[in-house]
Amino acid sequence: MKCKMCRTNLIAFTRGQLTGEEANRIREHLESCEDCRLFADYQNSIYSVIQTEKKINPDPFLATRIEGLLQQPVIRNERQVLRPRLIPALAFSVFILAGIIGGIGLGKLIIPDNQQDQMARNELRILVDDLQQEPLESFILGL
Amino acid sequence: MTEKTLIEELRAGNTAALRDFVDRYQPLILQTARGFVHNSEDARDITQDVFLDVMTNLDRFRGQSGLSTWIYRITVNRSLNFIRSQKKRIPLSEMQTAESGTIHHPETQLSDPTQKNPVELLEQQDRSRILHAALESLPKNQRIAITLAEYDDLSYQQIAEVMGVTVSSVESLIFRARKNLQKKLWDCYKKSC
């Protein structure tokens, strides 16, 4: 067995989750390979932390505390906590949207459609044909 | 008292049933939460929140899964939410470490009467740090699966029910989680981190 293969299965091996043949192969490899054996010891020492952390003493007063908390008038759930935060944000968004739509509507009321077209056409004419703005004849005569 | 009777009694507001319920499920919730947050005090806070969640949402429990499966799910979600909220804050311990250059482990610094040897205490702190860092580096689903397997000794079938995935997915998640953990630990071993 190669060292890499041994190391991959070490956790399952130390937890006793490997079948007989596989476990035997790892055991034999660990007997012959010092590097893997040292790593197995290291890994076991790290993994032993889990067993230590599992030992937590339950709180004997938890039931009483929960009883007290449940008797409080309102145990607010997260949805209720979120609601007050969402309302101002939504109201502000609606306000901004109404402002934009109102602005567009107002603009259309003040400048009628045909007048808008005329203005656009005039602006385009200036850009395309600047001789109307500054006729060549008047330029020559001016000289 | 059977699970069904217990739920009915809890819904009826029976305080004796509440005490029985807390006694029965507190170790389970504490152990699971501890597997995620690695701190007894935080695990206790999460346990209290889980009980409050269960009690306020008991009417929504339809009994399609076991009560313990439902409680495991709530505990996992609560723990992950807690971790997420903690990441957003800068812990005081980190600020102290940055200032003084010393490592601060609130959990392992609590006095343990069985461990008085400072060298042993330091080694224990070091091992905890390495294990927690390795576990925290795992992808979310791998972390959930391996925590439920190692800290709660749940079977693959139970983990599958809690996570809402198939048993073969759990097998794959745990295999990959162990492989990743082994890789992290090997790197640590080689670099003496």
Side-chain angles (χ1 to χ4, degrees):
Chain A
M1 178 181 263
K2 286 181 180 175
C3 291
K4 199 175 175 184
M5 179 70 90
C6 172
R7 288 199 302 267
T8 306
N9 292 313
L10 258 182
I11 296 176
F13 171 74
T14 47
R15 302 238 334 135
Q17 289 170 340
L18 289 184
T19 57
E21 200 181 323
E22 261 181 311
N24 281 340
R25 277 210 300 260
I26 289 178
R27 204 171 291 121
E28 280 168 18
H29 181 82
L30 289 176
E31 279 169 15
S32 60
C33 177
E34 198 191 352
D35 208 16
C36 284
R37 197 167 55 243
L38 286 172
F39 176 63
D41 289 341
Y42 170 80
Q43 192 170 272
N44 286 342
S45 72
I46 301 282
Y47 237 65
S48 68
V49 171
I50 292 177
Q51 298 306 320
T52 319
E53 287 186 350
K54 275 182 182 180
K55 296 171 195 160
I56 321 174
N57 294 326
D59 179 357
F61 306 108
L62 183 63
T64 316
R65 213 163 47 244
I66 287 169
E67 221 175 298
L69 285 168
L70 287 171
Q71 278 167 3
Q72 283 180 5
V74 184
I75 295 288
R76 299 195 310 169
N77 65 25
E78 279 166 9
R79 280 182 197 169
Q80 284 171 316
V81 174
L82 272 177
R83 207 172 293 155
R85 283 189 215 159
L86 282 176
I87 289 170
L90 272 172
F92 185 70
S93 307
V94 169
F95 179 73
I96 294 288
L97 209 65
I100 293 169
I101 293 168
I104 292 169
L106 207 64
K108 280 189 176 173
L109 278 177
I110 292 168
I111 307 167
D113 278 350
N114 55 357
Q115 197 181 335
Q116 278 181 6
D117 287 352
Q118 191 59 42
M119 280 168 70
R121 230 172 274 136
N122 287 343
E123 279 173 18
L124 199 69
R125 193 176 295 146
I126 292 163
L127 286 173
V128 174
D129 187 11
D130 60 347
L131 285 177
Q132 281 194 352
Q133 284 293 106
E134 224 175 317
L136 189 64
E137 292 85 357
S138 60
F139 177 72
I140 295 165
L141 287 172
L143 279 175
Chain B
M1 200 185 286
T2 63
E3 201 172 85
K4 202 178 171 187
T5 326
L6 181 67
I7 294 165
E8 280 166 11
E9 292 294 322
L10 286 173
R11 278 178 182 155
N14 183 339
T15 49
L18 176 68
R19 285 178 184 278
D20 184 26
F21 175 60
V22 171
D23 288 345
R24 206 189 287 187
Y25 289 97
Q26 190 186 171
L28 174 155
I29 301 170
L30 256 180
Q31 210 162 300
T32 310
R34 178 68 199 261
F36 284 97
V37 298
H38 310 301
N39 179 306
S40 299
E41 289 313 306
D42 292 339
R44 283 183 203 286
D45 289 346
I46 291 169
T47 305
Q48 181 177 300
D49 290 345
V50 170
F51 274 116
L52 288 174
D53 274 356
V54 170
M55 292 307 295
T56 46
N57 293 300
L58 207 59
D59 290 333
R60 290 186 198 170
F61 179 66
R62 293 174 199 161
Q64 286 170 336
S65 60
L67 181 62
S68 56
T69 307
W70 188 53
I71 291 173
Y72 270 122
R73 268 186 214 150
I74 295 173
T75 312
V76 170
N77 286 336
R78 271 275 170 193
S79 305
L80 294 176
N81 285 345
F82 178 85
I83 294 167
R84 212 172 298 135
S85 68
Q86 287 298 102
K87 274 182 185 170
K88 286 177 190 166
R89 299 177 197 162
I90 302 168
L92 185 64
S93 58
E94 272 182 27
M95 283 159 62
Q96 285 169 344
T97 309
E99 280 174 16
S100 62
T102 55
I103 299 164
H104 178 77
H105 295 281
E107 179 63 14
T108 40
Q109 275 186 354
L110 294 172
S111 59
D112 182 352
T114 57
Q115 265 188 349
K116 285 181 179 172
N117 184 347
V119 179
E120 265 182 40
L121 195 65
L122 272 175
E123 282 175 356
Q124 175 74 19
Q125 280 181 4
D126 217 30
R127 284 198 289 266
S128 299
R129 182 182 56 81
I130 293 166
L131 179 75
H132 298 161
L135 283 171
E136 278 160 24
S137 69
L138 294 176
K140 187 178 151 193
N141 277 356
Q142 287 182 26
R143 188 178 175 187
I144 295 171
I146 196 88
T147 305
L148 292 173
E150 302 295 353
Y151 279 85
D152 296 278
D153 297 314
L154 293 192
S155 68
Y156 288 0
Q157 176 66 45
Q158 287 170 307
I159 297 171
E161 282 169 16
V162 172
M163 294 180 72
V165 294
T166 61
V167 176
S168 54
S169 301
V170 172
E171 279 173 3
S172 160
L173 281 171
I174 290 181
F175 177 77
R176 279 184 283 145
R178 282 186 176 150
K179 204 174 172 185
N180 285 337
L181 273 181
Q182 178 271 320
K183 212 172 164 186
K184 301 269 175 200
L185 295 181
W186 175 253
D187 288 346
C188 243
Y189 173 69
K190 280 286 165 194
K191 291 172 193 165
S192 306
C193 65

